[in-house]
């Protein structure tokens, strides 16, 4: 690319950066990997811009490059599960939590109300539960489903990108939808509660946890609520099991926690800080929540402290 064409490319391509990040995140399940792949996509597009003949829109061309890069990356990477994707729930039973740091766990993604991706795709396609469900699909099926059902590409366009036939794309889509139906959340699980209701529920949760009042915390959970904590493979279902975990295995007591509110994957989230021996509150876990019928049906506590920087949360309180 010449110096003269660089500003032209940047001005046209940069508006698509955020939605490309969302696309790569859906494919890879990692906001950090997605950021790297978007950078690689932009670099490859910049290098090839002079040969771009305009036979498709620039947006379509960028998506083609990004999808190809994601598929290449997935050839050498395993899927990114949550603990619920590895086995059944546990009974606390006083046993220590099992931890696997070597597993490439699914990551949450910061929400952005001004993200162009929220305009061209539905918010449901960014839900953590949906992205987790995508991880059950083989890479090419994952790409087909995202391109067809999320981005509304025509089957012929997807076939051209994947160098296959329209019939093969339609077959892959059918298989992907069938498998997703087995693991994806049901429509009633993704009904968007009123913003004020979410705020009140979160305020009650924070107040209860600051007092470390386990009874009040679990009263905010649905009867079949799931509580999981990557990189710990152990996860719990139901208020009784969660209460046992919080009482017997969760550190800290009244006054030992502080919180900063944020949002992940279009859902409420909290940066949770635990008081250290020197009295400083340091990152403990990033918690994300799914709300159903006025209670939390799914709580995921991510113990990857890199996420605090990703979400723009302070290092200490």
């Amino acid at each position: 690319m010449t110096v003269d064409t660089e500003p032209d490319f940047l001005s046209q391509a940069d508006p698509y950066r955020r939605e490309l990040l969302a696309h790569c995140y859906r494919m890879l399940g990692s906001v950090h990997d997605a950021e790297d792949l978007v950078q690689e996509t932009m670099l490859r597009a910049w290098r090839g811009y002079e040969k771009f003949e305009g036979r498709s829109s620039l947006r379509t061309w960028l998506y083609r490059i990004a999808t190809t890069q994601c598929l290449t990356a997935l050839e050498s990477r395993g899927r990114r599960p949550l603990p619920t994707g590895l086995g059944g729930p546990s009974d606390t039973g006083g046993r220590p939590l099992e931890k696997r740091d070597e597993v490439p766990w699914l990551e949450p993604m910061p929400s952005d109300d001004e993200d162009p991706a929220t305009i061209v795709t539905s918010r449901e396609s960014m839900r953590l539960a949906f992205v987790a469900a995508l991880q059950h699909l083989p890479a090419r099926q994952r790409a087909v489903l995202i391109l067809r059902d999320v981005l509304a590409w025509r089957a012929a366009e997807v076939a051209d990108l994947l160098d296959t036939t329209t019939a093969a794309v339609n077959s892959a889509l059918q298989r992907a939808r069938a498998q997703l139906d087995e693991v994806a959340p049901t429509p009633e699980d993704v009904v968007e509660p009123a913003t004020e209701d979410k705020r009140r529920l979160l305020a009650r949760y924070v107040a209860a946890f600051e007092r470390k009042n386990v009874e009040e915390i679990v009263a905010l959970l649905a009867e079949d609520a799931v509580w999981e904590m990557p990189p710990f493979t152990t996860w719990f279902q139901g208020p009784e099991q969660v209460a046992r975990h919080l009482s017997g295995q969760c550190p800290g007591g009244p006054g030992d926690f502080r919180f900063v509110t944020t949002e992940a994957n279009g859902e409420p989230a909290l940066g949770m800080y635990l008081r250290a021996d020197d009295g400083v509150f340091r990152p403990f876990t990033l918690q994300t929540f799914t709300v159903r019928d006025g209670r939390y049906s799914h709580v995921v506590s991510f113990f990857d402290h890199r996420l605090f920087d990703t979400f723009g949360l302070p290092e200490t309180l």
Side-chain angles (χ1 to χ4, degrees), residues 18 31-32 35 107-111 260 262-263 270-273 282-286 302-316:
R18 287 295 302 176
V31 64
H32 296 107
E35 288 172 343
E107 297 174 353
M109 181 173 177
S111 298
V260 176
T262 184
E263 201 171 89
L270 290 170
M272 186 177 188
Y273 295 76
R282 292 190 168 85
F284 180 55
T285 180
L286 181 78
F302 294 91
F303 282 83
D304 183 352
H305 291 170
R306 295 179 305 160
L307 293 171
F308 280 71
D309 181 62
T310 301
F311 279 73
L313 298 173
E315 294 182 4
T316 59

Side-chain angles (χ1 to χ4, degrees), residues 131-272:
V131 178
L134 289 175
Q135 298 298 303
H136 291 266
L137 300 178
R140 285 173 70 88
Q141 283 188 25
R142 197 182 309 177
V144 167
L145 186 132
I146 293 170
L147 292 170
R148 292 283 285 120
D149 284 358
V150 177
L151 298 173
W153 279 36
R154 299 191 306 274
E157 293 177 305
V158 179
D160 184 47
L161 187 155
L162 298 177
D163 192 25
T164 187
T165 65
T166 299
V169 166
N170 290 333
S171 177
L173 180 61
Q174 185 177 12
R175 293 195 303 272
R177 286 172 175 170
Q179 187 166 353
L180 210 63
D181 284 343
E182 298 178 4
V183 294
T186 59
E188 57 267 22
D189 287 336
V190 295
V191 173
E192 183 74 11
T195 300
E196 190 56 37
D197 291 341
K198 288 194 296 184
R199 288 174 179 168
R200 283 196 293 265
L201 186 61
L202 201 62
R204 290 174 60 193
Y205 179 89
V206 167
F209 227 115
E210 286 177 340
R211 295 192 297 271
K212 194 63 182 299
N213 188 317
V214 173
E215 183 177 349
E216 290 183 9
I217 294 171
V218 299
L220 303 176
L221 303 180
E223 287 302 312
D224 59 349
V226 168
W227 185 287
E228 51 187 332
M229 306 158 290
F232 298 99
T233 59
T234 309
W235 63 277
F236 306 106
Q237 186 163 32
E240 182 179 349
Q241 290 297 322
V242 174
R244 290 180 181 175
H245 162 66
L246 293 178
S247 298
Q249 297 172 305
C250 178
D256 286 337
F257 296 98
R258 287 184 181 173
F259 298 85
V260 176
T261 58
T262 184
E263 201 171 89
N265 298 77
E267 298 173 309
L270 290 170
M272 186 177 188

Side-chain angles (χ1 to χ4, degrees), residues 22-96:
H23 176 60
C24 291
Y25 170 71
R26 293 186 195 96
M27 285 289 297
L28 303 172
S30 163
V31 64
H32 296 107
D33 287 354
E35 288 172 343
D36 291 342
L37 263 293
V38 171
Q39 285 294 104
E40 180 66 21
T41 294
M42 289 299 187
L43 179 60
R44 286 176 177 266
W46 174 74
R47 288 172 174 169
Y49 186 61
E50 287 185 333
K51 298 179 181 179
F52 174 57
E53 299 176 351
R55 287 178 292 183
S56 64
S57 68
L58 179 64
R59 177 173 176 266
T60 297
W61 185 57
L62 291 172
Y63 268 96
R64 294 168 69 90
I65 298 172
T67 303
T68 300
Q69 292 304 302
C70 287
L71 289 172
T72 299
L74 287 170
E75 290 177 358
S76 58
R77 306 178 193 184
R79 68 185 182 95
R80 286 183 170 269
L82 287 174
T84 45
L86 299 180
S90 304
D91 185 318
T92 49
R95 295 187 298 274

